[in-house]
Amino acid sequence: MAGNGDVDIQGKQWQRLLRRHRGQKVKDENNGVMSGGKNNIFLQLKLNIGWTEWVLDPAEGFYYVWIQVMILPIVYNCVIIILRTCFSAIALNYLPVWLTLDYLSDVMYIADMIITLHTGYLDQGILIKDLTRLKDRYLHSKRFLRDLASLLPTDFLYFAFGIQTPLVRINRLLRLPRLNEALDRMETRTSYPNTFRISKLMIYIFVLIHWNACLYFALSNYIGFGSDRWVYPNMTDPQFASLRRQYFYCFWFSAQIFTTVGDTPLPNREEEYLFMIADLLIAVLVFASIVGNVGNVITSLRDRDNVFFPDHELVKAYLQSHYISKELRQRIDNWYQHLHINKKIMRENEILQHLPVHMRTEIAVSVHLSTLSKVTIFQSCEKSLLEELVLKLTPQVFSPGEYVCRKGDVGHEMYIIKDGKLAVVADDGITQFAVLSEGTFFGEISILNIKGNKSGNRRTANIRSIGYSDLFSLSKEDLRDVLSEFPAAKSHLEEKGRQILTKMGMLEESGEVEKKEAEKVDKKIARAENNLEVLQTKLARLMVELESSNQKLQIRVEQLESEVAALLASPGNREEREIMQGRGEGIGEQVEFEREEAEGEEEKKESSDEKLIGQGDNNAVTKDGDGESTKSKENVERIVEGTQPLTGR
């Protein structure tokens, strides 16, 4: 019993172990299924992201490379379809090669449609990446219809017309706009656009001559080989039987027609005449296009040189017309020659003026910021100030022996040496005190207008160029305009300039400067007080005269009013009363008018007095003012007294 119990216990233990093992297996399987499902989901997401959400930016490099690749199938169809159509022997001898290339180009056409479908476009400056919108835009455009028409399966027409008629694939030429897009992109990216334009023109002419050669061979086949001198010779002659000779002869014949070089046989049939007429008309257009394009290339090259370098021809004509000395003309010619040989640009601002301001700033910073940072007074300045200043730098080139500045000249700009060497010389121009090399700067103190500068913003040395020297100049006006927007930087630069002048012993002591400034202020205050006293005295005199004139006029008007009232109250003829009343009103109006006129004269006198006082002629102003007021008072009294006969009446 005990043994059986042990066996039962052991069996139960084994059963538990098996159950645990099976449970662990199930768990592992479930975990494997779950992890496998996660991996599948991840792969599916990757595929979805890769194919359904992939959008191409037309400004990226991949799009540019792709449209360059698309040049191959388009040019293949443009050249080979007409070749195989007209030269049937070439089409049949290399048929497997042509069919392989045909369907390879069709595959590339399909891939191009897919890429075009996933190419984004700009809407209000933002790249659209929504595939729904991209599909809607492409599928409803004329471009989709053209691309679809270029892929129509016209190859089934081989069963009707035969495999030797590749003209059924002529619809593949509908992709020519894609070729123009690729060539335009290449022209904008190449570093030699003029060479590319000439090459593109030559390729167009080559394709045109190729088509004309194929049509000429087909027309010769239609008329009959060797039937006359104009058509292709009879192929029974072994010399003209090879395929290579056939194509080269036809190409040479077409090139003769288009270039109008050489004697071509005269046509004999109407078909030949029509073909020659069409070719001659096309030749005129080809010749005009060649001349026009070459002329444009030459003009663009000349314009580029005129922008990069000053116009030498105009300067030479000016020097000759004014009989400038031969030595000076030779120096100017050497200066121009130095610019051209070393490709030194003197008109940077004119070249970059069509770019936005932020791009010009970035270009100037990348080119000149390191040079400007070497100047002591500009070190530790904020970057925005330096970015503004680099746009103001002007390149200058000095010839050997030419003076950059002379001692005693007023400094209007500072200089930074980019390349070359300058010598600090004595007044005799021979003795050298120092040599300035690349990275050195001078004249920075003269453009800051620091108060107390003993030199008074004048040059303190003679600086002459040893050889050809390239310098950057920064004018005082440009620095002032920039510093007006950076007051903190202005104070910082002035302080650094004072420190430099103090080390050089060229800065006056602050007490002397303040004393001179105080004396100037005192003089201005005393002059203003004297002018103020004179003006107050004249104003008081004018006010008294005006008040006395008003009192006299008021008294006289009152007398006239009383006399008129007495006359109207006395008995008499009615007509006389009306006449007297009318005269009284006229006299009152006249007196009022004279009063206004007198006040106007007083005001004019006051303004003239103020002007004359400002000019310093005090005595003259007093006399003129008194005379005007006396005249005005005499006139008023004369008019008023003129009414006395009326009262006597």
Side-chain angles (χ1 to χ4, degrees):
M1 294 289 295
N4 292 334
D6 293 336
V7 172
D8 292 336
I9 292 170
Q10 289 178 358
K12 289 179 181 180
Q13 289 178 353
W14 283 109
Q15 288 177 0
R16 290 172 187 167
L17 289 173
L18 288 172
R19 287 172 186 169
R20 287 180 184 178
H21 183 67
R22 289 175 182 173
Q24 189 68 28
K25 261 187 163 184
V26 172
K27 283 184 180 181
D28 293 340
E29 290 177 359
N30 292 334
N31 291 333
V33 171
M34 291 178 66
S35 62
K38 288 181 180 179
N39 292 333
N40 292 334
I41 293 172
F42 180 71
L43 290 174
Q44 187 175 1
L45 287 174
K46 286 183 68 176
L47 291 174
N48 290 337
I49 292 172
W51 292 101
T52 61
E53 297 183 5
W54 174 63
V55 176
L56 185 63
D57 187 355
E60 290 180 351
F62 177 78
Y63 183 81
Y64 175 75
V65 172
W66 173 253
I67 60 176
Q68 304 311 308
V69 172
M70 282 301 299
I71 293 177
L72 299 176
I74 297 173
V75 172
Y76 164 78
N77 287 318
C78 289
V79 174
I80 300 302
I81 289 177
I82 188 68
L83 178 68
R84 291 162 56 192
T85 301
C86 299
F87 292 87
S88 56
I90 295 177
L92 295 175
N93 291 344
Y94 302 97
L95 184 60
V97 177
W98 301 136
L99 293 179
T100 302
L101 294 177
D102 285 347
Y103 299 120
L104 180 61
S105 66
D106 290 346
V107 171
M108 295 183 68
Y109 276 19
I110 295 172
D112 184 59
M113 290 186 67
I114 296 173
I115 290 177
T116 304
L117 181 65
H118 287 79
T119 301
Y121 66 94
L122 294 178
D123 185 8
Q124 298 181 356
I126 301 174
L127 182 65
I128 303 300
K129 296 184 178 181
D130 186 6
L131 281 178
T132 304
R133 294 180 62 179
L134 296 180
K135 291 178 182 178
D136 183 69
R137 183 173 182 266
Y138 178 60
L139 296 178
H140 292 83
S141 64
K142 294 181 179 179
R143 181 176 181 177
F144 171 72
L145 297 178
R146 186 174 61 248
D147 294 346
L148 186 63
S150 66
L151 279 174
L152 291 177
T154 54
D155 296 50
F156 288 109
L157 296 176
Y158 282 144
F159 296 105
F161 300 103
I163 198 70
Q164 71 277 5
T165 56
L167 194 63
V168 297
R169 293 177 53 84
I170 196 67
N171 60 324
R172 270 55 176 180
L173 300 183
L174 293 174
R175 289 293 181 94
L176 283 176
R178 194 66 162 169
L179 175 64
N180 295 329
E181 180 186 358
L183 295 178
D184 291 340
R185 287 290 187 97
M186 290 180 67
E187 184 176 348
T188 56
R189 287 204 176 194
T190 182
S191 301
Y192 306 96
N194 294 317
T195 304
F196 181 81
R197 293 189 191 105
I198 296 296
S199 302
K200 182 173 68 173
L201 177 64
M202 297 307 296
I203 291 173
Y204 285 156
I205 294 174
F206 169 79
V207 174
L208 183 62
I209 295 176
H210 168 77
W211 272 68
N212 192 75
C214 295
L215 295 176
Y216 166 74
F217 188 81
L219 182 61
S220 299
N221 187 20
Y222 172 76
I223 296 173
F225 296 117
S227 59
D228 54 38
R229 295 183 63 252
W230 187 85
V231 297
Y232 186 80
N234 198 336
M235 284 194 236
T236 56
D237 187 353
Q239 185 179 359
F240 298 99
S242 66
L243 297 177
R244 188 163 48 188
R245 172 57 66 88
Q246 293 174 13
Y247 179 76
F248 286 158
Y249 181 90
C250 296
F251 195 91
W252 169 79
F253 187 86
S254 298
Q256 273 192 325
I257 297 175
F258 282 152
T259 57
T260 64
V261 176
D263 296 330
T264 57
L266 294 176
N268 297 319
R269 300 171 181 267
E270 290 80 359
E271 297 88 349
E272 298 172 358
Y273 276 108
L274 292 175
F275 187 85
M276 286 293 296
I277 290 171
D279 277 3
L280 291 175
L281 292 176
I282 296 173
V284 172
L285 297 178
V286 170
F287 183 76
S289 63
I290 293 174
V291 173
N293 280 273
V294 173
N296 290 335
V297 169
I298 296 173
T299 303
S300 63
L301 290 174
R302 183 178 300 172
D303 293 341
R304 186 193 65 180
D305 290 340
N306 291 337
V307 171
F308 272 64
F309 311 107
D311 195 344
H312 190 194
E313 299 298 329
L314 292 178
V315 177
K316 289 176 65 176
Y318 177 83
L319 297 178
Q320 291 175 0
S321 63
H322 288 76
Y323 304 103
I324 305 300
S325 63
K326 184 177 181 181
E327 181 183 357
L328 181 56
R329 282 187 292 173
Q330 185 63 38
R331 286 174 54 195
I332 295 173
D333 291 340
N334 293 337
W335 184 78
Y336 272 104
Q337 185 177 3
H338 172 74
L339 293 182
H340 280 273
I341 291 175
N342 296 278
K343 304 299 180 183
K344 294 182 178 179
I345 302 173
M346 300 295 296
R347 299 180 176 180
E348 293 183 355
N349 295 331
E350 295 182 17
I351 295 171
L352 303 177
Q353 65 181 350
H354 300 292
L355 295 176
V357 178
H358 67 278
M359 288 188 177
R360 277 185 286 168
T361 304
E362 291 181 5
I363 294 173
V365 166
S366 62
V367 175
H368 305 314
L369 186 60
S370 59
T371 303
L372 189 63
S373 300
K374 297 177 182 178
V375 182
T376 306
I377 60 173
F378 295 134
Q379 291 176 355
S380 71
C381 287
E382 53 186 311
K383 188 177 179 181
S384 56
L385 173 64
L386 298 180
E387 289 177 353
E388 291 288 335
L389 289 177
V390 292
L391 293 174
K392 308 295 184 180
L393 293 179
T394 303
Q396 295 186 13
V397 177
F398 290 89
S399 302
E402 186 177 358
Y403 278 90
V404 179
C405 62
R406 294 180 181 270
K407 185 177 181 180
D409 294 344
V410 178
H412 296 288
E413 61 276 313
M414 66 166 295
Y415 296 96
I416 306 171
I417 302 176
K418 180 185 178 183
D419 188 20
K421 291 185 178 181
L422 304 177
V424 181
V425 298
D427 295 336
D428 57 5
I430 300 174
T431 306
Q432 293 187 4
F433 299 115
V435 176
L436 308 178
S437 58
E438 179 182 356
T440 312
F441 55 90
F442 56 93
E444 70 278 9
I445 302 299
S446 62
I447 66 175
L448 290 177
N449 287 331
I450 299 175
K451 296 179 181 179
N453 188 357
K454 293 181 180 180
S455 62
N457 294 330
R458 292 184 178 273
R459 304 296 188 187
T460 58
N462 300 311
I463 299 180
R464 191 178 64 179
S465 177
I466 298 176
Y468 285 101
S469 303
D470 298 343
L471 280 71
F472 286 114
S473 66
L474 178 63
S475 66
K476 183 186 299 183
E477 292 75 13
D478 292 337
L479 181 63
R480 184 172 60 247
D481 294 341
V482 174
L483 290 181
S484 62
E485 301 176 359
F486 299 91
K490 181 179 180 181
S491 303
H492 176 69
L493 292 177
E494 290 178 352
E495 182 61 30
K496 296 190 75 171
R498 291 190 191 94
Q499 294 175 2
I500 295 173
L501 287 175
T502 303
K503 292 180 180 179
M504 297 171 59
M506 299 295 295
L507 184 66
E508 296 181 355
E509 295 182 1
S510 59
E512 296 178 0
V513 176
E514 292 176 358
K515 186 177 180 180
K516 290 182 179 179
E517 292 294 331
E519 290 177 356
K520 291 181 181 179
V521 172
D522 292 339
K523 289 180 180 179
K524 291 181 180 179
I525 293 174
R527 192 182 300 114
E529 289 178 350
N530 293 333
N531 292 334
L532 182 61
E533 290 177 359
V534 173
L535 290 174
Q536 287 177 348
T537 303
K538 298 304 177 183
L539 180 61
R541 185 182 294 117
L542 292 174
M543 292 298 294
V544 171
E545 292 177 357
L546 179 62
E547 186 177 357
S548 63
S549 299
N550 289 336
Q551 289 178 357
K552 290 179 181 180
L553 287 173
Q554 187 175 1
I555 293 170
R556 191 58 182 166
V557 169
E558 291 177 355
Q559 291 177 357
L560 289 173
E561 289 178 351
S562 61
E563 291 176 1
V564 170
L567 288 173
L568 293 175
S570 63
N573 195 348
R574 182 179 179 183
E575 294 179 357
E576 292 179 357
R577 290 181 181 179
E578 292 178 355
I579 293 171
M580 292 298 294
Q581 185 176 1
R583 288 181 178 179
E585 292 177 354
I587 291 169
E589 293 176 355
Q590 186 176 4
V591 170
E592 185 68 23
F593 174 75
E594 292 297 332
R595 178 188 291 179
E596 294 177 355
E597 186 177 2
E599 292 177 355
E601 292 292 336
E602 294 294 335
E603 293 178 356
K604 290 181 180 178
K605 179 170 65 59
E606 291 177 5
S607 62
S608 63
D609 287 342
E610 292 176 357
K611 292 180 180 179
L612 292 174
I613 289 170
Q615 297 174 357
D617 298 334
N618 298 332
N619 296 329
V621 171
T622 305
K623 293 178 181 180
D624 292 343
D626 295 341
E628 290 293 332
S629 61
T630 305
K631 288 180 182 180
S632 63
K633 289 189 288 184
E634 290 177 356
N635 290 335
V636 174
E637 290 177 357
R638 190 181 297 112
I639 293 170
V640 174
E641 290 174 356
T643 60
Q644 291 178 358
L646 181 62
T647 59
R649 241 170 132 183

